[in-house]
Amino acid sequence: MVRVTDLDTFSALLAPEGQELLAVLRDHDPADELAAATRLRRDHPAPLVSAALGQARLRQRAAAKFGADAARMYFTPNGVEQSTRATVAAHRAGRLATLGVRTLADLCCGIGGDALALARAGIRVLAVDRDPLACAAARANAEALGLAELIEVRCADVTEVDTAGYDAVFVDPARRTKARGGRIFDPEAYAPPLSWAVGTARSAPYAALKIAPGVPHEALPEDAETEWISDAGDVKEAVLWFGTGRGGARRATLLPAGDSLLGAGLPDPEPGPVGDWLYEPDGAVIRAHLVADVAEQVGGRLIDPTIAYVTADRLVPTPYATAYAVTDVLPFNVKKLRALLREREVGVAVIKKRGSAVEPEELRKKLRLAGPHSCTVFLTRVAGAPTMLLGHPAGERA
């Protein structure tokens, strides 16, 4: 993979010749990279061409997170991987602005994705990172998007930055190893450690700390509100909020709609028989341990004490779970399932599993589906027994 690896090369990209190359490569096809490199090196230095090609590829990858802005932004490989999705950053910036935050220290800012969202929310940002190349990208991004007046970028060790006087701090510790890019699961192995970030957060009027969504609940500070955020159904991150006055609270927020469920501390409902409807809670709801809250909303019950599926006898729409009409409840048996789907001429089956060791793709091969109809198959447990539930999403005909 072609990469921008040093400040001199990056600076050259910002100069007129580099800008010319980036403009040429704006709609570049990666499959044409070798031919493009050969052609462009006739008139431009080889290192600059390689850097421009690398930046073009990074911009294309970043479009999934930053949309149309990615075509004007600057990235490092780590910056693309670790930066916050723009929709999530905008949500967080909106919450901070609503709290009255007007100045904020963004610690571990990377290429500046969160700083850009904060500035767009009207917040003046001090963006700090110890990586000189990331800082150069953050400055370039602030300039490219017309936000330079609201974003000051400082290259420094975040643990040595005085955040006194700021309305809030935001910390996004590195959670990947530098050597292989693997994820770090021990919060004290973050860079900087989570304990340092929590201490810094407690010293500010308001604070938001970005953490991995799989964090154990027992590791959460009691004085922080924890918010799990999903975007288009995928859980993206968890955030520790300080200063909201909701210490110990759990929240699930679903983007892009912005529906937000604040937990009421309900006990898990008693399990019971499968009803006419099955609800599949959003991943953020499950991570936040708010399945009981969804069950309360829909008047439902669990199908098993250990499974995060809710069942009910009537349909009650909720943004926090996808509802399915249940047509069949059967003990797990591949031959019976294959015969039933063949009888109903099911050619497309969406196979979901929770609490089952069966791999959906392996099962799909055995089913040998054919026909014009579709079906959703849930592989799960009901009262401890391996079970198959058949149905279809609410609003679709069987």
Side-chain angles (χ1 to χ4, degrees), residues 78-95:
N78 285 340
V80 172
E81 294 294 333
Q82 299 182 26
S83 58
T84 303
R85 183 178 290 263
T87 50
V88 178
H91 161 71
R92 182 166 39 244
R95 277 202 71 178

Side-chain angles (χ1 to χ4, degrees), residues 18 62 72 137 168 208 217 277 391:
R72 295 184 290 160
H217 278 231
W277 296 92

Side-chain angles (χ1 to χ4, degrees), residues 57-275:
R57 291 176 66 182
L58 291 174
R59 285 177 167 181
Q60 289 176 355
R61 286 170 53 196
K65 285 187 174 182
F66 292 94
D69 283 344
R72 295 184 290 160
M73 292 175 64
Y74 298 86
F75 301 95
T76 65
N78 285 340
V80 172
E81 294 294 333
Q82 299 182 26
S83 58
T84 303
R85 183 178 290 263
T87 50
V88 178
H91 161 71
R92 182 166 39 244
R95 277 202 71 178
L96 287 161
T98 300
L99 289 170
V101 171
R102 295 295 175 262
T103 61
L104 177 143
D106 177 2
L107 308 180
C108 309
C109 69
I111 56 93
D114 278 282
L116 297 172
L118 290 160
R120 280 174 166 165
I123 298 172
R124 187 169 295 276
V125 183
L126 169 65
V128 185
D129 202 284
R130 65 181 180 183
D131 181 348
L133 187 56
C135 288
R139 289 191 189 95
N141 288 333
E143 187 68 37
L145 298 183
L147 299 167
E149 290 187 1
L150 288 172
I151 301 174
E152 174 193 348
V153 180
R154 184 182 303 175
C155 190
D157 184 335
V158 297
T159 64
E160 298 176 357
V161 174
D162 182 7
T163 60
Y166 289 90
D167 297 334
V169 297
F170 169 64
V171 189
D172 181 6
R175 294 181 299 283
R176 293 180 183 268
T177 60
K178 286 188 175 182
R180 298 182 181 178
R183 294 185 183 277
I184 296 172
F185 296 98
D186 178 7
E188 286 309 294
Y190 291 176
L194 183 60
S195 58
W196 176 88
V198 169
T200 301
R202 287 171 174 156
S203 68
Y206 297 103
L209 310 185
K210 179 178 172 181
I211 58 175
V215 61
H217 278 231
E218 57 268 22
L220 300 173
E222 293 183 359
D223 56 336
E225 171 194 340
T226 309
E227 178 183 31
W228 281 263
I229 303 172
S230 68
D231 190 11
D234 292 330
V235 183
K236 295 301 179 183
E237 65 181 56
V239 184
L240 298 178
W241 289 92
F242 294 82
T244 66
R246 299 191 183 96
R250 306 288 183 263
R251 180 189 296 273
T253 297
L254 282 54
L255 302 177
D259 296 294
S260 197
L261 177 63
L262 184 64
L266 300 176
D268 287 339
E270 290 296 320
V274 178

